[in-house]
Amino acid sequence: MKNIGIVGLGNMGMGMAKNLIARGFELNGFARSHDTLERFVALGGKKCGDAAAVGAASEVVFVMVVNASQATEVIAGKNGLLETLKPGAIIVVTATIGSAAVKNLAALAGERHVSLIDCPVSGGQKGADAGALTLMASGGKQDFDRCADVFAAIARNINFVGDEIGQGQIVKACMQGLVGCIYSGMFEAMALGVKAGVGAEALFSVIGTSVANTPLFQGAIPAVMDRRFKGTGSNIANTYKDLTITMALAEECGTPMMVTGTAKQFFQAGIARFPGEDNQCLIKVLEDIVGVEVKRGQASVAA
């Protein structure tokens, strides 16, 4: 396959686009922002006026939008992909939209003899830029295999998790529940340590070389200590949306998720207090309560 499309060129989509172009694919793209499209063109992409134009020019199209509503609009709405994609084409939904939504879109695509792969991703902006994403794909194995070279351009860890559409979204929901818990726990630990009298940098050094270390810890805590709460590629609205999907799945399955439920409430507090900021803004909720700042060069405020 040579002609690839992408709809959605945000932090993740632009990184994916960069790597697809670097691997020699002809990439057709659409985004609502004129400036974003110009950046895409500067990378070597071909800009399109709408999703339908992307579909007309592409054999495989990635959909990397924010939520289920946007995915439905660009796939099945007016001037959407299904108006122009040829039979045998493949839509790859890399957005996190929940299993019910992706099953509905797969059914609509099937009516047009278009395949759909349910393929959420993990790795954030950093992983997208590096071509090192983790994929969790479900759907037709034959369709998945047809996309092997395309997936290799954007991902380091390519996982086929099941032949039933929606299983990819389920894996992502489980993972995001854990992500919410990890963020919540590490911010609490940092706030506690500083409040009790230990410097933030000492805490980071020890935890960051212990069994409690994670890539999330390594990414978020330096940003906290440097007081960087915007533009780091980890917007809190996206994580909160994902946790909402996780908890809806838990309710549907009758599975108690007490810790994840608390994490979702923590994220809800963060997004209410600091809308538009990134995940590490959660620590400011705790800082406001206990009267410290977790930053470089300040040991603590006495407990």
Side-chain angles (χ1 to χ4, degrees):
M1 293 180 181
K2 288 291 292 183
N3 295 306
I4 310 300
I6 186 164
V7 178
L9 291 163
N11 290 333
M12 300 279 286
M14 192 67 78
M16 292 164 61
K18 179 190 71 173
N19 286 292
L20 287 163
I21 292 167
R23 287 291 189 98
F25 292 103
E26 294 181 9
L27 191 61
N28 310 287
F30 170 68
R32 291 174 177 170
S33 165
H34 172 77
D35 290 344
T36 297
L37 279 176
E38 292 307 309
R39 286 175 54 211
F40 175 68
V41 170
L43 289 174
K46 299 179 180 179
K47 67 179 178 180
C48 296
D50 53 30
V54 174
S58 306
E59 301 165 81
V60 175
V61 180
F62 289 94
V63 175
M64 194 53 172
V65 293
V66 173
N67 53 38
S69 175
Q70 290 184 4
T72 300
E73 178 184 354
V74 302
I75 292 173
K78 183 179 180 182
N79 299 321
L81 293 171
L82 292 180
E83 290 190 359
T84 56
L85 280 171
K86 298 176 179 64
I90 300 173
I91 299 170
V92 183
V93 178
T94 49
T96 302
I97 63 173
S99 59
V102 79
K103 286 178 181 179
N104 181 59
L105 289 172
L108 293 173
E111 292 173 2
R112 302 292 183 95
H113 305 288
V114 170
S115 297
L116 186 146
I117 298 175
D118 167 28
C119 188
V121 304
S122 178
Q125 182 178 348
K126 184 177 179 181
D129 287 343
L133 292 171
T134 292
L135 309 186
M136 47 210 91
S138 68
K141 186 62 164 58
Q142 189 173 23
D143 295 325
F144 173 82
D145 290 340
R146 285 173 60 199
C147 294
D149 56 342
V150 184
F151 289 156
I154 63 170
R156 186 172 297 160
N157 304 295
I158 303 169
N159 304 283
F160 183 74
V161 301
D163 56 11
E164 182 179 333
I165 293 290
Q167 289 177 314
Q169 295 291 330
I170 290 170
V171 172
K172 181 65 183 289
C174 295
M175 187 193 73
Q176 287 303 97
L178 181 57
V179 165
C181 295
I182 292 170
Y183 270 125
S184 301
M186 68 189 191
F187 292 143
E188 287 183 345
M190 293 298 294
L192 172 63
V194 171
K195 178 65 174 179
V198 177
E201 289 162 290
L203 288 163
F204 175 71
S205 178
V206 173
I207 296 172
T209 55
S210 75
V211 295
N213 184 43
T214 71
L216 294 177
F217 186 82
Q218 290 293 329
I221 300 306
V224 166
M225 293 191 297
D226 293 333
R227 314 310 288 173
R228 291 186 289 114
F229 299 105
K230 290 184 178 181
T232 65
S234 61
N235 186 268
I236 190 172
N238 290 332
T239 309
Y240 178 70
K241 178 262 299 181
D242 292 350
L243 288 171
T244 300
I245 291 172
T246 301
M247 294 308 298
L249 178 64
E251 183 175 354
E252 177 186 337
C253 295
T255 302
M257 299 188 74
M258 289 79 77
V259 179
T260 307
T262 300
K264 177 176 176 285
Q265 290 300 309
F266 190 11
F267 272 80
Q268 186 166 347
I271 201 171
R273 183 70 179 82
F274 304 106
E277 295 195 4
D278 293 344
N279 290 321
Q280 57 268 24
C281 75
L282 289 176
I283 203 160
K284 293 194 287 185
V285 175
L286 298 173
E287 290 174 342
D288 286 350
I289 294 169
V290 300
V292 299
E293 282 193 339
V294 178
K295 63 183 182 180
R296 299 187 192 273
Q298 179 180 357
S300 72
V301 174

